[in-house]
Structures are given as C-alpha cells and as structure tokens.
Amino acid sequence: MTTEQLYNQIQEKKSFLCVGLDVDLNKIPKHLLALEDPIFEFNKAIIDATHDLCVAYKPNIAFFEAYGMKGWLALQKTINYINDNYPNIFTIADAKRGDIGNTSSMYAKAFFEDLNFDSVTVAPYMGKDSVEPFLAFENKHTIMLALTSNEGAFDFQTLLVDGKELYKQVLETSKSWKNSENLMYVVGATKAEYFTEVRKIVPDSFLLVPGVGAQGGSLAEVCKYGMNDKVGLLINSSRGIIYASTGTDYAEKAREEALKMQQEMSGIVSLKFKV
Amino acid sequence: MTTEQLYNQIQEKKSFLCVGLDVDLNKIPKHLLALEDPIFEFNKAIIDATHDLCVAYKPNIAFFEAYGMKGWLALQKTINYINDNYPNIFTIADAKRGDIGNTSSMYAKAFFEDLNFDSVTVAPYMGKDSVEPFLAFENKHTIMLALTSNEGAFDFQTLLVDGKELYKQVLETSKSWKNSENLMYVVGATKAEYFTEVRKIVPDSFLLVPGVGAQGGSLAEVCKYGMNDKVGLLINSSRGIIYASTGTDYAEKAREEALKMQQEMSGIVSLKFKV
C-alpha cells in the first residue's frame, strides 16, 4: 500500500485510528477459550466490528509468539483474514525487529513476503545497515522507534547527544538512509509537547502513535502538535478497544469504543481539512 | 542454567565457543531440500557433530521466522533436540526483542517458557521497563546489545552522551536495573580495543561476541582485552562453521572448523588458567 492510498482511506473514513491486536488469553472472554483457535476468533470478531472505523490493524507479534506454533498460526490467519476481506486496511506487524544486514533481510522477508504485512516496526540501535534491508521493499513501510510511550524512553532516547536528544539524532540520521521515503516513526502520545520537535525534523512522515487512552495520552493534544497537512498520524489504541468488555458482547463494545475515537477524529479531520 | 554451570562447561570443554544456527535454505546442502524439515535436519547434524566442542548454540530467530510456520516448528524441534540430548549446553535465542513492559513479558514467556531457552538477546533502546520483564526469570539470562559488530554500530552506539559513548551509558545504566545479575551483553569482535572499556564497566558479566571470523574479528585480540578471571566470553561463529561445506560432508567440515576454534581456545584457557 502506498502512503497516498493510506491518506485516501483516512479521508474516506474520517479516521486515522489503528486498532492494536494484543491478544492475551487471560484477558479475552472466557467463552472463546473452548474454541479451537480463540486468538483468531477473537481477532476476527474485533476486525468485523471495527473495520469501517479504523484505517489500520496492528497485531503485536509478542502476543502471538508467546503461544508458540498456535500463536504463529493465529497470526497468519489474522493477517490473511484482513488482507482477504478488507484489502484497503493498512497492516502493521508490531515486531520491533533489527539485526545485522543479512539477518534483517530475513525479518523483512518474514513480515513483508511470508505474512504480507504492509509495514513492520523496527528498533534503531543497530543503525543504518539494520534498517535499510527493510526499506528496500517497494510499497512496504518501515516504522522505526523514535520516542516511545513508556517510562524507559527517558533512559536513553532523551539523553543529549551533542546538545540534541538521541531520538532527534535518530530521526535526522535516518533521513539520509537509502529509500528513507519508506520510513514512518513511532512517537508516543504521552509526550504531546515533543511532537512539535519531531515535526521540525520529519514534517512529512507518518507517525504511529501509541499511548492514547490506557497509557494516558490525549488525542486532541497529539493532533494539535503532531498533524501535518495530510494528517500524518496513525493513533493506536489496543486495550481500550479490544478489552472494552470481557463478556459475549466484546465485539459490540469494541465497536462502541472505536466509534467514540473515530467520531472525535472525524471532528478533527473536518475542522482541519474543511471536508 | 546458572553462570556457574556455564563456567564449569567452559573449563571442562576448554571451549567458550558458541555456534550460531542461522540456517538459510539457499545456503545449505541441496540434498537436504528433499527432506520434510531440511532446517531441523541440518541443525541436528551440525549439533551432533559439534556439541563436544562448543558450550552454546545460538539460533537466530529471523532465519526461522522467515519460513513462517515451518520455520517456527523447526525452531521448536531444534531447541527441544538440544535440551533433550545435550542439556548442559547453554542456549541463546538471538531475537533482539524489546517492547513496553507487558509486551516484553510476552516475549520472555515465548523464549524462556514456551521454547525453554536459557537466554535471549534484547535491544536497549526502550530502556529499563522493556528489559526488566526478561530479568525477572530465575536462572535465565538476558543478553543486551551494547556494541554490535556491524557498520551501523557507529550511527548511534558510539555517539557521545555527556562525554561518554552511548554504549557505555547503556552498560552503566543497566547495572542499576532489578535482577541485573541476569544480564549479559553483546559486544562485537570487530572492535577488540573497545573491550578494555567495556570491562571497566562490567568486569564480571559474560559477553556474547559475534564477528569473529566471517566479519573479521580476531579471537586472540578479543581474549586479550575481553577475558575476565572466569573467561567471561562466549565467542560466536555462525557462517564460518555451519557453511564450511555445501556438500554431503557439511557436518564433518563444520566439526573441523569448530575444532580449529576450540583448539585455539583450549590454548588460551590453558595459558590463562594453568589448567
């Protein structure tokens, strides 16, 4: 999927919501546990209930790997289900991978080719040759960690390197990498004031924003500082939507929560773009 | 496995060799491709041929994920084969994972519980709460990237933060984390002179050292600067051993290469520890 297609989706749906599929068997409705593949069944119902309100789904790969082979199968079925039924949805493998060149190529192959995701998240610590193998794939997107939404973000990401925070150095350096137009960045919503700084460095890039809702970030604040003239944001919500209810009405309740976010986004998109 | 048990292995075998299992179907002997599970069959033969010469195996998870379900099954069979047949061998899931707290717990569960590895590699960029969930597992080890062996290591890892390189900041900060005694570190062999600096900060920790051989690092140099009084090194070789031959004699040739390294190590251990 091209960024232009993603932007078209955002305009059509008046939404820049990404639903995070972080499926923990301890948190899903108990009645699903009797089914052969509870993770996939849970995802399928959530996807069917929310696909018209969001523009992206982001399975966090950890939650699948934790269940071994069964988890991997559920991941495969989930991505196939989205691609088969809702091909306009942008898909993000939240994997936070990164390794030396030839190994990163294998990860890229796993997520872009074998599983056919539109994008994958990567970590920057190993530098250019750990990320460029991902960037080589046409119409695929590499979402690099810049400033994350957790407490530990302040351990290294905000340390001053030549008078400039490390995450800014990461953003700037990455702009010189080959096929850097395929880069997007993770910037956490819990630090809305930082978006102004981020936008000075990467005005045109899409930003994937975790931390709205459960982690305390404000949608309005993030939009105020982080939007560009093509929206340029994908706001992720995981737990706030998928665990809105632990009863048999979980999909319906998930839709209600997604709808609330979409409506707020709709207001923002309308105001900003006069559509 | 405890670090004491790992050290005992090193003394017994006079080896601190780690064999990296980075199995690329394009590089293994062609006759294996006709088998039902070529990746596992390749690994099994390599393991049987080298287990008495090395103290650790390190499957790089990317090379399994790239083959989807089949790859994951091959990984599971490989780790089970090692644990069942050679339980004294230290096992490393080279996964370079890291995510926010509850997600890191899922990764830890995947590698420490579901697959039963002794250790897993992690990336430091997201800080304390992305690594501590791994450290909480007793007698399991978390091997954090400090200074890697690739070119991109110089993009961020060696930048000066308050007059000190980022990798040193990473090493120092991590020492204050809960259960930090379960930490080991990745330090690349291509930068042998850096080991002196690393040892000033983490004198007692085990270091996993990639980059000897194929990537150009020298074993003697690394030992000179990086050994502590309990050896404290695990030297990884992947391609140099497992792809020593692409013929039917691949396991035999892998043994020959592993033996060369073990013999060199034996000399070093003997000299240093007068055993």
Side-chain angles (χ1 to χ4, degrees):
Chain A
M1 183 180 294
T2 65
T3 47
E4 199 57 31
Q5 288 170 314
L6 175 57
Y7 177 53
N8 290 342
Q9 277 280 304
I10 290 174
Q11 285 183 300
E12 267 173 41
K13 290 179 172 171
K14 289 197 172 73
S15 170
F16 40 100
L17 176 63
C18 171
V19 175
L21 301 172
D22 303 356
V23 187
D24 184 336
L25 288 181
N26 295 316
K27 289 187 184 160
I28 68 174
K30 295 285 166 280
H31 72 279
L32 293 175
L33 299 178
L35 302 175
E36 201 191 317
D37 189 343
I39 300 176
F40 172 66
E41 295 300 335
F42 179 82
N43 284 344
K44 184 173 171 296
I46 296 283
I47 292 162
D48 286 338
T50 58
H51 69 92
D52 57 322
L53 303 172
C54 66
V55 294
Y57 288 109
K58 179 177 75 65
N60 188 310
I61 308 307
F63 288 81
F64 297 87
E65 282 191 4
Y67 301 109
M69 290 289 290
K70 278 190 181 174
W72 204 260
L73 182 62
L75 175 64
Q76 208 168 56
K77 284 161 71 180
T78 299
I79 180 68
N80 289 345
Y81 187 77
I82 301 169
N83 284 336
D84 290 348
N85 295 281
Y86 310 108
N88 290 329
I89 298 253
F90 187 72
T91 52
I92 304 169
D94 196 1
K96 301 186 175 72
R97 299 297 196 258
D99 208 311
I100 60 168
N102 66 325
T103 309
S104 270
S105 296
M106 296 305 268
Y107 278 129
K109 190 173 166 307
F111 293 107
F112 291 152
E113 289 183 353
D114 186 61
L115 291 166
N116 199 17
F117 275 93
D118 290 314
S119 67
V120 62
T121 59
V122 302
Y125 193 72
M126 295 181 72
K128 175 174 163 164
D129 55 346
S130 73
V131 179
E132 281 190 343
F134 290 95
L135 298 176
F137 285 74
E138 211 179 343
N139 293 331
K140 299 285 186 181
H141 306 269
T142 304
I143 311 178
M144 191 161 78
L145 299 179
L147 186 61
T148 57
S149 60
N150 62 324
E151 231 186 279
F154 297 103
D155 282 333
F156 308 119
Q157 297 166 25
T158 54
L159 292 180
L160 291 182
V161 178
D162 294 331
K164 192 190 298 171
E165 288 97 334
L166 177 61
Y167 78 90
K168 291 186 192 170
Q169 192 75 45
V170 165
L171 288 168
E172 274 185 4
T173 301
S174 69
K175 287 168 69 179
S176 68
W177 295 344
K178 199 176 173 190
N179 301 311
S180 63
E181 67 279 9
N182 293 333
L183 275 170
M184 300 181 175
Y185 301 93
V186 173
V187 181
T190 44
K191 305 169 185 67
E193 67 275 22
Y194 286 86
F195 279 84
T196 313
E197 299 297 306
V198 169
R199 279 304 182 201
K200 284 183 194 160
I201 309 170
V202 287
D204 301 324
S205 304
F206 261 95
L207 307 179
L208 172 63
V209 185
V212 165
Q215 292 175 59
S218 145
L219 176 62
E221 286 284 296
V222 168
C223 291
K224 185 174 163 189
Y225 299 111
M227 271 189 164
N228 63 19
D229 61 6
K230 288 200 166 181
V231 180
L233 298 176
L234 290 171
I235 305 283
N236 183 73
S237 175
S238 302
R239 289 168 279 172
I241 291 176
I242 68 174
Y243 299 134
S245 159
T246 54
T248 51
D249 62 346
Y250 70 98
E252 197 181 314
K253 293 293 180 194
R255 181 175 176 81
E256 282 173 22
E257 291 304 315
L259 186 61
K260 277 184 215 164
M261 290 195 73
Q262 185 274 329
Q263 281 169 340
E264 199 179 341
M265 289 175 176
S266 163
I268 292 166
V269 171
S270 302
L271 190 70
K272 177 139 182 155
F273 300 93
K274 318 274 186 247
V275 286
Chain B
M1 183 179 295
T2 64
T3 47
E4 201 55 33
Q5 288 171 315
L6 175 56
Y7 176 54
N8 290 342
Q9 277 280 305
I10 291 172
Q11 285 184 300
E12 268 172 41
K13 291 178 171 171
K14 289 198 172 72
S15 169
F16 40 101
L17 176 63
C18 171
V19 176
L21 301 171
D22 304 355
V23 187
D24 184 336
L25 288 181
N26 295 315
K27 290 187 183 161
I28 67 174
K30 295 284 166 279
H31 72 279
L32 293 175
L33 299 178
L35 302 176
E36 201 191 316
D37 189 343
I39 300 177
F40 172 65
E41 295 300 334
F42 179 82
N43 285 343
K44 184 174 171 296
I46 295 283
I47 292 162
D48 286 337
T50 58
H51 69 93
D52 57 322
L53 303 172
C54 65
V55 294
Y57 287 109
K58 181 177 75 63
N60 188 311
I61 308 306
F63 288 80
F64 296 87
E65 282 190 5
Y67 300 109
M69 290 288 292
K70 277 190 183 174
W72 204 259
L73 181 63
L75 175 64
Q76 208 167 55
K77 285 161 71 178
T78 300
I79 180 69
N80 289 345
Y81 187 78
I82 301 169
N83 284 337
D84 291 347
N85 295 281
Y86 310 108
N88 291 330
I89 298 252
F90 187 71
T91 52
I92 303 168
D94 194 2
K96 302 189 175 70
R97 299 298 196 257
D99 208 310
I100 61 168
N102 67 324
T103 309
S104 271
S105 297
M106 297 304 269
Y107 278 128
K109 191 172 166 306
F111 293 107
F112 290 152
E113 290 184 352
D114 185 63
L115 291 167
N116 199 18
F117 274 93
D118 291 314
S119 67
V120 62
T121 58
V122 302
Y125 193 71
M126 294 182 73
K128 175 175 165 165
D129 55 346
S130 73
V131 178
E132 281 189 345
F134 290 95
L135 298 175
F137 287 73
E138 211 178 343
N139 292 331
K140 299 285 186 181
H141 306 269
T142 304
I143 311 178
M144 191 162 76
L145 299 179
L147 187 61
T148 57
S149 59
N150 62 324
E151 230 187 280
F154 297 104
D155 282 332
F156 308 119
Q157 298 166 25
T158 53
L159 291 181
L160 291 182
V161 177
D162 295 331
K164 193 189 296 171
E165 287 98 333
L166 177 62
Y167 79 90
K168 291 187 191 169
Q169 192 76 45
V170 165
L171 288 168
E172 275 185 5
T173 301
S174 70
K175 287 168 70 178
S176 68
W177 295 345
K178 200 176 171 190
N179 300 311
S180 62
E181 68 278 9
N182 294 333
L183 275 170
M184 300 180 175
Y185 300 94
V186 173
V187 181
T190 42
K191 305 168 184 66
E193 68 275 22
Y194 286 86
F195 278 85
T196 313
E197 300 297 306
V198 169
R199 279 303 182 202
K200 284 183 194 160
I201 309 171
V202 288
D204 302 324
S205 305
F206 262 95
L207 308 179
L208 172 63
V209 185
V212 165
Q215 292 175 58
S218 144
L219 176 62
E221 287 282 297
V222 168
C223 291
K224 183 173 165 192
Y225 299 111
M227 271 189 163
N228 63 19
D229 61 5
K230 289 200 165 182
V231 181
L233 298 176
L234 291 171
I235 305 282
N236 183 73
S237 175
S238 302
R239 287 167 280 172
I241 291 177
I242 67 175
Y243 300 134
S245 159
T246 53
T248 51
D249 62 346
Y250 70 99
E252 196 182 315
K253 294 291 180 194
R255 182 176 175 81
E256 282 174 21
E257 290 304 315
L259 186 61
K260 277 185 215 165
M261 289 196 74
Q262 185 274 330
Q263 281 169 339
E264 198 177 343
M265 288 175 178
S266 163
I268 291 167
V269 171
S270 302
L271 190 69
K272 176 138 183 154
F273 300 93
K274 320 273 186 248
V275 287

